[in-house]
């Protein structure tokens, strides 16, 4: 059972890396949703990739998880703005809340206390 639980960090972090790559691949389409346009899409894509790799490698993973949670919560802003036009945005809002919760649960058990005690 413990080996299955240990896979959790990969089930969380690998999609973060993929989401980051998708930000780079679809920056033009996402630019309209992001304040700051395509530049902000590239910055958040890089943050997702770096955060995912930090968790995979276990280096500064507690800090990375907390920052990913904050980023995911901030990602809810454009979804809230589009909620009146598209009720399906509620699914994206709930997804971001769930992922932020997973990041914070990981941060709670992460062993690297170099930056955040």
């Amino acid at each position: 059972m413990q080996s299955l639980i240990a896979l959790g960090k990969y089930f969380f972090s690998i999609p973060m890396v993929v989401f980051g790559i998708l930000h780079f691949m679809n920056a033009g389409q996402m630019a309209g949703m992001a304040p700051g346009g395509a530049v902000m899409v590239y910055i958040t894509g890089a943050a997702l990739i770096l955060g995912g790799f930090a968790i995979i490698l276990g280096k500064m993973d507690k800090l990375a998880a907390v920052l990913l949670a904050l980023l995911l919560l901030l990602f809810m802003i454009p979804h809230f703005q589009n909620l009146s036009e598209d009720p399906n945005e509620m699914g994206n809002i709930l997804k971001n809340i769930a992922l932020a919760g997973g990041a914070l649960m990981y941060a709670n058990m992460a062993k690297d206390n170099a930056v955040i005690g």
Side-chain angles (χ1 to χ4, degrees):
M1 185 59 127
Q2 194 62 29
S3 59
L4 179 63
I5 293 171
L7 290 175
K9 81 177 195 174
Y10 301 105
F11 288 161
F12 178 76
S13 58
I14 290 172
M16 291 298 121
V17 173
V18 172
F19 290 151
I21 292 168
L22 291 173
H23 273 67
F24 279 91
M25 292 173 59
N26 301 311
Q29 295 169 340
M30 295 179 173
M33 290 191 303
V39 172
M40 190 57 67
V41 174
Y42 289 124
I43 291 171
T44 57
L48 289 165
I49 293 169
L50 292 172
F53 277 125
I55 292 171
I56 290 169
L57 298 173
K59 299 293 182 191
M60 299 185 79
D61 54 345
K62 182 176 277 198
L63 175 63
V66 170
L67 291 175
L68 275 175
L70 178 61
L71 181 64
L72 289 162
L73 292 173
L74 288 172
F75 281 173
M76 291 190 316
I77 294 170
H79 295 300
F80 271 120
Q81 291 171 339
N82 295 330
L83 189 58
S84 62
E85 299 167 14
D86 184 5
N88 294 324
E89 288 288 354
M90 183 56 72
N92 289 320
I93 292 167
L94 294 173
K95 172 199 63 147
N96 286 342
I97 292 171
L99 288 171
L104 293 173
M105 286 193 307
Y106 179 83
N108 186 50
M109 57 77 57
K111 293 177 177 51
D112 187 353
N113 293 320
V115 178
I116 297 178

